[in-house]
Amino acid sequence: MNMDYLRQEINTWLDNYFENKGTYNKVIYDSMAYSVKVGGKRIRPTLMLYTYNMFKNDFNNILPIACALEMIHTYSLIHDDLPCMDNDDLRRGKPTNHKVFGEAIAVLAGDGLLNEAMSIMFNESLKGDKNVLEACSIISNAAGVEGMIGGQIVDIISEGKLIDKDQLYYMHKCKTGALIKSSIVAGAILGGASKGEINILDEFGEKLGLIFQIKDDILDVVGETEILGKNAKSDIENNKTTFVTQFGLDKCIEFCESLTKDAIDLLEKLSLNTNDLKDTTIFISRRNH
Amino acid sequence: MNMDYLRQEINTWLDNYFENKGTYNKVIYDSMAYSVKVGGKRIRPTLMLYTYNMFKNDFNNILPIACALEMIHTYSLIHDDLPCMDNDDLRRGKPTNHKVFGEAIAVLAGDGLLNEAMSIMFNESLKGDKNVLEACSIISNAAGVEGMIGGQIVDIISEGKLIDKDQLYYMHKCKTGALIKSSIVAGAILGGASKGEINILDEFGEKLGLIFQIKDDILDVVGETEILGKNAKSDIENNKTTFVTQFGLDKCIEFCESLTKDAIDLLEKLSLNTNDLKDTTIFISRRNH
């Protein structure tokens, strides 16, 4: 299925979600919608939909959960960009949320997106079967203190310090990897995958998360602000340990290539049409922003 | 059931929850636990347990959900206290989270508590029946942009402005009322209450939320910082519209009394032992902190 088509479906769902919402509290919706609509590659929901699509052909059924995942991702970006965190002015080529709405509203918009995502998932669980609930529980855990938030905290406390490889792996596995992996595993569970298939896709998701983060670290060094849509060299400026500072650029490019091969080999093990996931894996490892 | 006993059960569950947690991410647990353990009256979980207890006598079964509610309340306090929000240094007589851990960790500790609460609720829903899921969904909605966060945003954007009565009611109904009401309604659903009983308790919860907030506004004017454990007169200093600035102190005291009577009258309609909820209603309306 075409990635642009899926992205369009995701964007339409999100647009509808925020349309005509709010009374006295309207500004919170405006602020949440601003960051959600500013764009982005919609990689997480796309991965979930592609994975689900290998098992079932009614992906519209899980669109709310896929979009909840995008809301969680967006909330994390809004909070990461805050002055007390990475203090970034640019995100996806546009002013960051707090630059437009002020810090207080940005904090609440992040809270709102996280909370709204969870409410959507509870609501879908009420309508669905046990698989829906299990998938939502996995996403919630992946976003939490043993997942994305845990990675972010290690990122924050490590700034300006040299950290070892184990800590770097932990940080990246949690910060970016956990949510990416959960999008794949949740998509598989929602699709009714077998235990064996879930195990393979779990391993694939773990590798894909790592590919994504290594590529992010590479792009921070070799990318250009205009193409990235966020400030290049921000890791260097913030004195962060990254895969590139730890292993060097050449080694990272090599590592990214071999992980991509491993990830695709894993997909080959499945007796399913995995073309879309393969293409997305290559897209993630070769992207320039 | 004795309120101190319930509070002890809640505190023990929360203490156990945070014990020995974390590796590289340990500081997030320390920061979350700091604000959770700093005390507080545990009113929301107590209300849930008391309501549940009118129907069933195994309240330990819903202790995780009751404590998730307290985590949601605590996260909202951490974020409310941030410099970009109310900029408070004191909470429950102790330095606020960001004063101890810094702003970045405080933002993430709030995020972590909200996320953790949701993960606990998904987990309990996986173990429980449809009532558990429904109760958790209600709590999640009450915490969200049409509930607590919605109230907080109106509070923030109204600072220094004169707002009308409708807006003031909306703000308080959402900011404090929604979560308090949800603790009662969720407790009733978890206990297997009938539709009729839930409707009465819903109305009771709405009144109790209002009593809580009016009393809060009264205490901000007549209370002392040492007893309140937070800065008295902070509403005045922040130029906020409150029930007291809107209606005057005498009218508020009167309103608080008549609402308390109405709330207790509602409880009288139930063919249940409502003594604990009555006592808590009186406790909330007469508290000095």
Side-chain angles (χ1 to χ4, degrees):
Chain A
M1 211 181 320
N2 185 287
M3 208 185 280
D4 286 336
Y5 168 67
L6 276 194
R7 210 175 284 148
Q8 194 46 52
E9 291 288 305
I10 293 161
N11 289 342
T12 302
W13 193 95
L14 288 166
D15 283 354
N16 288 339
Y17 191 83
F18 288 106
E19 205 166 279
N20 297 322
K21 280 272 176 80
T23 52
Y24 294 124
N25 60 347
K26 192 176 175 305
V27 68
I28 185 94
Y29 287 107
D30 293 344
S31 171
M32 289 157 69
Y34 171 79
S35 287
V36 166
K37 289 183 186 175
V38 111
K41 297 174 286 290
R42 312 296 191 207
I43 282 180
R44 291 153 193 81
T46 301
L47 284 170
M48 177 182 280
L49 297 175
Y50 275 154
T51 308
Y52 179 84
N53 204 45
M54 298 192 309
F55 301 95
K56 287 187 179 163
N57 58 8
D58 54 356
F59 75 85
N60 272 293
N61 282 343
I62 67 152
L63 210 43
I65 301 175
C67 290
L69 198 57
E70 185 69 8
M71 288 185 186
I72 293 174
H73 171 57
T74 308
Y75 117 77
S76 77
L77 300 183
I78 296 176
H79 282 190
D80 282 11
D81 287 337
L82 286 170
C84 67
M85 304 271 226
D86 286 356
N87 194 21
D88 275 317
D89 301 348
L90 267 183
R91 169 70 70 179
R92 296 170 178 167
K94 295 268 174 68
T96 46
N97 198 291
H98 64 271
K99 283 280 157 190
V100 179
F101 294 91
E103 269 184 73
I105 292 176
V107 169
L108 290 169
D111 295 347
L113 282 168
L114 172 58
N115 202 124
E116 212 58 7
M118 298 297 183
S119 289
I120 289 168
M121 294 202 293
F122 276 118
N123 198 37
E124 294 303 307
S125 297
L126 273 169
K127 293 191 284 182
D129 60 15
K130 204 92 179 180
N131 278 351
V132 177
L133 187 52
E134 202 188 327
C136 293
S137 176
I138 283 171
I139 293 168
S140 176
N141 278 315
V145 287
E146 290 300 326
M148 188 175 68
I149 296 173
Q152 176 65 6
I153 202 92
V154 175
D155 193 5
I156 289 287
I157 60 175
S158 307
E159 238 169 65
K161 286 182 201 157
L162 267 179
I163 58 173
D164 64 22
K165 286 175 194 176
D166 287 347
Q167 204 162 345
L168 179 67
Y169 269 110
Y170 172 90
M171 180 171 94
H172 282 349
K173 192 179 142 174
C174 292
K175 197 182 164 185
T176 339
L179 208 59
I180 286 181
K181 183 165 116 171
S182 82
S183 65
I184 296 188
V185 175
I189 291 171
L190 288 164
S194 70
K195 268 235 149 23
E197 289 164 333
I198 292 170
N199 286 343
I200 290 171
L201 286 164
D202 186 285
E203 211 184 319
F204 164 74
E206 179 119 2
K207 289 201 194 297
L208 189 61
L210 207 52
I211 294 168
F212 189 92
Q213 189 57 53
I214 296 175
K215 187 69 190 188
D216 234 35
D217 288 356
I218 293 172
L219 285 172
D220 189 74
V221 178
V222 305
E224 285 168 35
T225 300
E226 302 83 69
I227 297 169
L228 288 178
K230 60 183 178 181
N231 293 321
K233 317 272 187 298
S234 90
D235 291 340
I236 299 167
E237 276 163 23
N238 288 324
N239 247 320
K240 295 202 174 180
T241 302
T242 70
F243 277 104
V244 176
T245 65
Q246 185 74 257
F247 301 100
L249 189 58
D250 289 347
K251 195 91 191 156
C252 281
I253 293 168
E254 210 176 280
F255 198 25
C256 197
E257 281 298 313
S258 76
L259 271 170
T260 304
K261 195 188 160 301
D262 293 350
I264 286 170
D265 285 348
L266 278 166
L267 292 177
E268 299 280 359
K269 287 191 188 176
L270 295 166
S271 311
L272 296 159
N273 180 352
T274 58
N275 286 341
D276 287 331
L277 279 187
K278 279 181 198 158
D279 289 348
T280 314
T281 305
I282 290 166
F283 169 79
I284 288 173
S285 80
R286 306 231 167 121
R287 71 203 156 93
N288 64 356
H289 67 287
Chain B
M1 211 180 324
N2 185 287
M3 208 185 280
D4 286 336
Y5 168 68
L6 275 194
R7 210 174 285 148
Q8 194 46 54
E9 291 287 305
I10 293 161
N11 289 341
T12 303
W13 194 95
L14 289 166
D15 283 354
N16 288 339
Y17 191 83
F18 287 105
E19 206 166 277
N20 297 323
K21 280 269 177 83
T23 51
Y24 294 124
N25 61 348
K26 193 176 174 305
V27 68
I28 186 94
Y29 286 108
D30 292 345
S31 171
M32 288 157 70
Y34 171 80
S35 288
V36 166
K37 289 183 186 176
V38 110
K41 299 175 285 292
R42 312 296 190 205
I43 280 179
R44 291 154 193 80
T46 301
L47 285 170
M48 178 183 281
L49 296 175
Y50 275 155
T51 308
Y52 179 83
N53 204 44
M54 300 194 307
F55 301 94
K56 287 187 178 160
N57 57 8
D58 53 357
F59 76 83
N60 272 293
N61 282 344
I62 66 151
L63 211 41
I65 302 175
C67 289
L69 199 56
E70 186 69 8
M71 287 184 186
I72 293 174
H73 172 56
T74 308
Y75 118 76
S76 77
L77 300 182
I78 296 175
H79 282 189
D80 281 11
D81 288 337
L82 286 170
C84 68
M85 304 270 226
D86 287 356
N87 195 20
D88 276 318
D89 300 347
L90 268 183
R91 171 69 70 179
R92 296 169 178 167
K94 295 268 174 66
T96 44
N97 197 292
H98 64 272
K99 282 280 155 189
V100 179
F101 293 92
E103 270 183 74
I105 293 176
V107 169
L108 290 169
D111 296 346
L113 282 168
L114 172 59
N115 203 123
E116 212 57 7
M118 298 297 183
S119 289
I120 289 168
M121 294 201 292
F122 276 118
N123 198 37
E124 294 302 307
S125 297
L126 274 169
K127 292 191 286 183
D129 59 16
K130 203 91 180 180
N131 279 351
V132 177
L133 186 54
E134 200 187 329
C136 293
S137 175
I138 284 171
I139 294 168
S140 176
N141 278 315
V145 285
E146 289 300 325
M148 188 174 69
I149 296 173
Q152 177 65 6
I153 202 94
V154 175
D155 193 3
I156 289 286
I157 60 175
S158 307
E159 239 169 63
K161 287 183 200 159
L162 268 179
I163 58 173
D164 64 24
K165 286 177 193 175
D166 287 347
Q167 204 162 348
L168 179 66
Y169 269 110
Y170 172 90
M171 180 171 91
H172 282 350
K173 192 179 142 177
C174 292
K175 195 182 166 185
T176 339
L179 207 59
I180 286 181
K181 183 165 116 172
S182 81
S183 65
I184 296 187
V185 174
I189 290 170
L190 289 164
S194 70
K195 269 238 148 22
E197 289 164 332
I198 291 170
N199 287 343
I200 291 171
L201 286 165
D202 186 285
E203 211 184 321
F204 164 75
E206 179 118 3
K207 289 200 192 300
L208 190 61
L210 207 52
I211 294 168
F212 190 93
Q213 188 57 53
I214 296 175
K215 186 70 189 186
D216 233 36
D217 288 355
I218 293 171
L219 285 172
D220 189 75
V221 178
V222 306
E224 287 169 34
T225 299
E226 300 84 68
I227 297 170
L228 288 179
K230 60 182 179 183
N231 293 321
K233 317 271 188 300
S234 90
D235 290 341
I236 300 166
E237 278 164 23
N238 287 326
N239 247 321
K240 293 200 175 183
T241 302
T242 71
F243 277 106
V244 176
T245 65
Q246 185 74 258
F247 301 101
L249 190 57
D250 290 347
K251 197 90 191 160
C252 282
I253 292 169
E254 208 176 281
F255 198 25
C256 197
E257 282 299 312
S258 77
L259 271 170
T260 304
K261 195 187 159 301
D262 293 349
I264 286 171
D265 285 349
L266 278 167
L267 292 177
E268 299 280 0
K269 287 191 189 175
L270 295 165
S271 311
L272 296 159
N273 180 350
T274 59
N275 287 340
D276 287 332
L277 278 188
K278 280 182 196 156
D279 290 348
T280 313
T281 305
I282 290 165
F283 169 81
I284 287 172
S285 81
R286 305 231 168 120
R287 72 203 157 92
N288 65 357
H289 68 288

